[in-house]
PDB file of all heavy atoms in Angstrom:
ATOM      1  N   ARG A  70     -12.278 -17.236  17.545  1.00  0.00           N
ATOM      2  CA  ARG A  70     -10.967 -16.575  17.870  1.00  0.00           C
ATOM      3  C   ARG A  70     -10.539 -15.434  16.933  1.00  0.00           C
ATOM      4  O   ARG A  70      -9.717 -14.733  17.296  1.00  0.00           O
ATOM      5  CB  ARG A  70      -9.848 -17.600  18.009  1.00  0.00           C
ATOM      6  CG  ARG A  70      -9.549 -18.224  16.649  1.00  0.00           C
ATOM      7  CD  ARG A  70      -8.428 -19.299  16.801  1.00  0.00           C
ATOM      8  NE  ARG A  70      -8.978 -20.507  17.454  1.00  0.00           N
ATOM      9  CZ  ARG A  70      -9.443 -21.597  16.815  1.00  0.00           C
ATOM     10  NH1 ARG A  70      -9.527 -21.538  15.468  1.00  0.00           N
ATOM     11  NH2 ARG A  70      -9.883 -22.556  17.483  1.00  0.00           N
ATOM     12  N   THR A  71     -11.179 -15.394  15.773  1.00  0.00           N
ATOM     13  CA  THR A  71     -10.629 -14.555  14.684  1.00  0.00           C
ATOM     14  C   THR A  71     -11.213 -13.115  14.823  1.00  0.00           C
ATOM     15  O   THR A  71     -12.452 -13.003  14.904  1.00  0.00           O
ATOM     16  CB  THR A  71     -10.977 -15.120  13.298  1.00  0.00           C
ATOM     17  OG1 THR A  71     -10.571 -16.494  13.305  1.00  0.00           O
ATOM     18  CG2 THR A  71     -10.407 -14.330  12.232  1.00  0.00           C
ATOM     19  N   THR A  72     -10.321 -12.134  14.605  1.00  0.00           N
ATOM     20  CA  THR A  72     -10.837 -10.811  14.404  1.00  0.00           C
ATOM     21  C   THR A  72     -11.288 -10.684  12.949  1.00  0.00           C
ATOM     22  O   THR A  72     -10.594 -11.192  12.056  1.00  0.00           O
ATOM     23  CB  THR A  72      -9.647  -9.823  14.606  1.00  0.00           C
ATOM     24  OG1 THR A  72      -9.270  -9.848  16.093  1.00  0.00           O
ATOM     25  CG2 THR A  72     -10.035  -8.378  14.276  1.00  0.00           C
ATOM     26  N   ALA A  73     -12.365 -10.095  12.783  1.00  0.00           N
ATOM     27  CA  ALA A  73     -12.954 -10.000  11.407  1.00  0.00           C
ATOM     28  C   ALA A  73     -13.362  -8.527  11.144  1.00  0.00           C
ATOM     29  O   ALA A  73     -13.835  -7.843  11.982  1.00  0.00           O
ATOM     30  CB  ALA A  73     -14.142 -10.904  11.139  1.00  0.00           C
ATOM     31  N   ILE A  74     -13.106  -8.138   9.899  1.00  0.00           N
ATOM     32  CA  ILE A  74     -13.446  -6.764   9.438  1.00  0.00           C
ATOM     33  C   ILE A  74     -14.368  -6.887   8.264  1.00  0.00           C
ATOM     34  O   ILE A  74     -14.126  -7.578   7.286  1.00  0.00           O
ATOM     35  CB  ILE A  74     -12.188  -6.042   9.060  1.00  0.00           C
ATOM     36  CG1 ILE A  74     -11.147  -5.983  10.171  1.00  0.00           C
ATOM     37  CG2 ILE A  74     -12.460  -4.562   8.598  1.00  0.00           C
ATOM     38  CD1 ILE A  74      -9.747  -5.646   9.708  1.00  0.00           C
ATOM     39  N   VAL A  75     -15.504  -6.128   8.269  1.00  0.00           N
ATOM     40  CA  VAL A  75     -16.414  -6.101   7.144  1.00  0.00           C
ATOM     41  C   VAL A  75     -16.930  -4.675   6.913  1.00  0.00           C
ATOM     42  O   VAL A  75     -17.134  -3.982   7.937  1.00  0.00           O
ATOM     43  CB  VAL A  75     -17.579  -7.109   7.314  1.00  0.00           C
ATOM     44  CG1 VAL A  75     -18.366  -6.807   8.554  1.00  0.00           C
ATOM     45  CG2 VAL A  75     -18.479  -7.062   6.085  1.00  0.00           C
ATOM     46  N   PHE A  76     -17.006  -4.243   5.732  1.00  0.00           N
ATOM     47  CA  PHE A  76     -17.478  -2.880   5.516  1.00  0.00           C
ATOM     48  C   PHE A  76     -18.535  -2.858   4.432  1.00  0.00           C
ATOM     49  O   PHE A  76     -18.582  -3.668   3.591  1.00  0.00           O
ATOM     50  CB  PHE A  76     -16.291  -1.922   5.113  1.00  0.00           C
ATOM     51  CG  PHE A  76     -15.669  -2.276   3.817  1.00  0.00           C
ATOM     52  CD1 PHE A  76     -16.035  -1.616   2.621  1.00  0.00           C
ATOM     53  CD2 PHE A  76     -14.653  -3.208   3.725  1.00  0.00           C
ATOM     54  CE1 PHE A  76     -15.455  -1.837   1.425  1.00  0.00           C
ATOM     55  CE2 PHE A  76     -14.058  -3.477   2.464  1.00  0.00           C
ATOM     56  CZ  PHE A  76     -14.426  -2.778   1.333  1.00  0.00           C
ATOM     57  N   ASP A  77     -19.426  -1.848   4.623  1.00  0.00           N
ATOM     58  CA  ASP A  77     -20.472  -1.614   3.534  1.00  0.00           C
ATOM     59  C   ASP A  77     -19.707  -1.004   2.338  1.00  0.00           C
ATOM     60  O   ASP A  77     -19.124   0.110   2.534  1.00  0.00           O
ATOM     61  CB  ASP A  77     -21.556  -0.755   4.125  1.00  0.00           C
ATOM     62  CG  ASP A  77     -22.370  -1.406   5.144  1.00  0.00           C
ATOM     63  OD1 ASP A  77     -22.325  -2.631   5.232  1.00  0.00           O
ATOM     64  OD2 ASP A  77     -23.143  -0.659   5.833  1.00  0.00           O
ATOM     65  N   VAL A  78     -19.872  -1.522   1.111  1.00  0.00           N
ATOM     66  CA  VAL A  78     -19.367  -0.940  -0.018  1.00  0.00           C
ATOM     67  C   VAL A  78     -20.080   0.372  -0.325  1.00  0.00           C
ATOM     68  O   VAL A  78     -21.199   0.548   0.080  1.00  0.00           O
ATOM     69  CB  VAL A  78     -19.243  -1.836  -1.175  1.00  0.00           C
ATOM     70  CG1 VAL A  78     -18.560  -3.135  -0.938  1.00  0.00           C
ATOM     71  CG2 VAL A  78     -20.674  -2.132  -1.772  1.00  0.00           C
ATOM     72  N   PRO A  79     -19.431   1.314  -1.021  1.00  0.00           N
ATOM     73  CA  PRO A  79     -20.052   2.632  -1.293  1.00  0.00           C
ATOM     74  C   PRO A  79     -21.408   2.411  -2.007  1.00  0.00           C
ATOM     75  O   PRO A  79     -21.620   1.650  -2.948  1.00  0.00           O
ATOM     76  CB  PRO A  79     -19.153   3.304  -2.227  1.00  0.00           C
ATOM     77  CG  PRO A  79     -17.786   2.746  -1.835  1.00  0.00           C
ATOM     78  CD  PRO A  79     -17.982   1.313  -1.503  1.00  0.00           C
ATOM     79  N   GLY A  80     -22.466   3.045  -1.449  1.00  0.00           N
ATOM     80  CA  GLY A  80     -23.833   2.882  -1.940  1.00  0.00           C
ATOM     81  C   GLY A  80     -24.617   1.858  -1.299  1.00  0.00           C
ATOM     82  O   GLY A  80     -25.787   1.645  -1.731  1.00  0.00           O
ATOM     83  N   VAL A  81     -24.093   1.197  -0.253  1.00  0.00           N
ATOM     84  CA  VAL A  81     -24.810   0.133   0.433  1.00  0.00           C
ATOM     85  C   VAL A  81     -24.808   0.419   1.893  1.00  0.00           C
ATOM     86  O   VAL A  81     -23.762   0.878   2.486  1.00  0.00           O
ATOM     87  CB  VAL A  81     -24.139  -1.288   0.128  1.00  0.00           C
ATOM     88  CG1 VAL A  81     -24.777  -2.382   1.023  1.00  0.00           C
ATOM     89  CG2 VAL A  81     -24.245  -1.615  -1.305  1.00  0.00           C
ATOM     90  N   GLY A  82     -25.890   0.135   2.616  1.00  0.00           N
ATOM     91  CA  GLY A  82     -25.967   0.263   4.016  1.00  0.00           C
ATOM     92  C   GLY A  82     -25.535   1.665   4.553  1.00  0.00           C
ATOM     93  O   GLY A  82     -26.138   2.705   4.063  1.00  0.00           O
ATOM     94  N   GLY A  83     -24.549   1.708   5.352  1.00  0.00           N
ATOM     95  CA  GLY A  83     -24.127   2.995   5.953  1.00  0.00           C
ATOM     96  C   GLY A  83     -23.077   3.722   5.149  1.00  0.00           C
ATOM     97  O   GLY A  83     -22.600   4.721   5.699  1.00  0.00           O
ATOM     98  N   SER A  84     -22.592   3.201   4.078  1.00  0.00           N
ATOM     99  CA  SER A  84     -21.633   3.861   3.258  1.00  0.00           C
ATOM    100  C   SER A  84     -22.276   4.653   2.111  1.00  0.00           C
ATOM    101  O   SER A  84     -22.984   4.078   1.267  1.00  0.00           O
ATOM    102  CB  SER A  84     -20.681   2.822   2.628  1.00  0.00           C
ATOM    103  OG  SER A  84     -19.905   2.172   3.628  1.00  0.00           O
ATOM    104  N   PRO A  85     -22.114   6.001   2.086  1.00  0.00           N
ATOM    105  CA  PRO A  85     -22.770   6.758   1.113  1.00  0.00           C
ATOM    106  C   PRO A  85     -22.231   6.463  -0.311  1.00  0.00           C
ATOM    107  O   PRO A  85     -21.151   6.014  -0.544  1.00  0.00           O
ATOM    108  CB  PRO A  85     -22.420   8.178   1.476  1.00  0.00           C
ATOM    109  CG  PRO A  85     -21.194   8.084   2.286  1.00  0.00           C
ATOM    110  CD  PRO A  85     -21.292   6.785   2.986  1.00  0.00           C
ATOM    111  N   ARG A  86     -23.135   6.649  -1.287  1.00  0.00           N
ATOM    112  CA  ARG A  86     -22.880   6.416  -2.648  1.00  0.00           C
ATOM    113  C   ARG A  86     -21.906   7.412  -3.228  1.00  0.00           C
ATOM    114  O   ARG A  86     -22.049   8.634  -3.050  1.00  0.00           O
ATOM    115  CB  ARG A  86     -24.179   6.398  -3.501  1.00  0.00           C
ATOM    116  CG  ARG A  86     -24.005   6.248  -4.968  1.00  0.00           C
ATOM    117  CD  ARG A  86     -25.407   6.219  -5.661  1.00  0.00           C
ATOM    118  NE  ARG A  86     -26.161   7.361  -5.359  1.00  0.00           N
ATOM    119  CZ  ARG A  86     -26.077   8.583  -5.933  1.00  0.00           C
ATOM    120  NH1 ARG A  86     -25.132   8.859  -6.756  1.00  0.00           N
ATOM    121  NH2 ARG A  86     -26.969   9.553  -5.470  1.00  0.00           N
ATOM    122  N   PRO A  87     -20.888   6.954  -3.971  1.00  0.00           N
ATOM    123  CA  PRO A  87     -19.991   7.861  -4.642  1.00  0.00           C
ATOM    124  C   PRO A  87     -20.671   8.564  -5.852  1.00  0.00           C
ATOM    125  O   PRO A  87     -21.703   8.112  -6.360  1.00  0.00           O
ATOM    126  CB  PRO A  87     -18.805   6.996  -5.047  1.00  0.00           C
ATOM    127  CG  PRO A  87     -19.449   5.643  -5.280  1.00  0.00           C
ATOM    128  CD  PRO A  87     -20.543   5.593  -4.294  1.00  0.00           C
ATOM    129  N   LEU A  88     -20.050   9.592  -6.335  1.00  0.00           N
ATOM    130  CA  LEU A  88     -20.626  10.323  -7.518  1.00  0.00           C
ATOM    131  C   LEU A  88     -20.567   9.427  -8.737  1.00  0.00           C
ATOM    132  O   LEU A  88     -21.503   9.525  -9.595  1.00  0.00           O
ATOM    133  CB  LEU A  88     -19.955  11.598  -7.709  1.00  0.00           C
ATOM    134  CG  LEU A  88     -20.056  12.656  -6.605  1.00  0.00           C
ATOM    135  CD1 LEU A  88     -19.289  13.954  -6.937  1.00  0.00           C
ATOM    136  CD2 LEU A  88     -21.518  13.106  -6.485  1.00  0.00           C
ATOM    137  N   LEU A  89     -19.539   8.616  -8.881  1.00  0.00           N
ATOM    138  CA  LEU A  89     -19.321   7.952 -10.130  1.00  0.00           C
ATOM    139  C   LEU A  89     -19.172   6.424  -9.859  1.00  0.00           C
ATOM    140  O   LEU A  89     -18.809   6.017  -8.711  1.00  0.00           O
ATOM    141  CB  LEU A  89     -18.030   8.412 -10.798  1.00  0.00           C
ATOM    142  CG  LEU A  89     -17.915   9.881 -11.233  1.00  0.00           C
ATOM    143  CD1 LEU A  89     -16.569  10.175 -11.734  1.00  0.00           C
ATOM    144  CD2 LEU A  89     -18.967  10.074 -12.306  1.00  0.00           C
ATOM    145  N   PRO A  90     -19.463   5.575 -10.827  1.00  0.00           N
ATOM    146  CA  PRO A  90     -19.318   4.137 -10.696  1.00  0.00           C
ATOM    147  C   PRO A  90     -17.826   3.827 -10.410  1.00  0.00           C
ATOM    148  O   PRO A  90     -16.943   4.659 -10.604  1.00  0.00           O
ATOM    149  CB  PRO A  90     -19.806   3.571 -12.012  1.00  0.00           C
ATOM    150  CG  PRO A  90     -20.760   4.610 -12.526  1.00  0.00           C
ATOM    151  CD  PRO A  90     -20.061   5.891 -12.144  1.00  0.00           C
TER     152      PRO A  90
END
Side-chain angles (χ1 to χ4, degrees):
R70 64 180 73 91
T71 306
T72 294
I74 305 161
V75 58
F76 66 95
D77 293 344
V78 302
V81 174
S84 296
R86 174 178 53 81
L88 293 177
L89 298 173

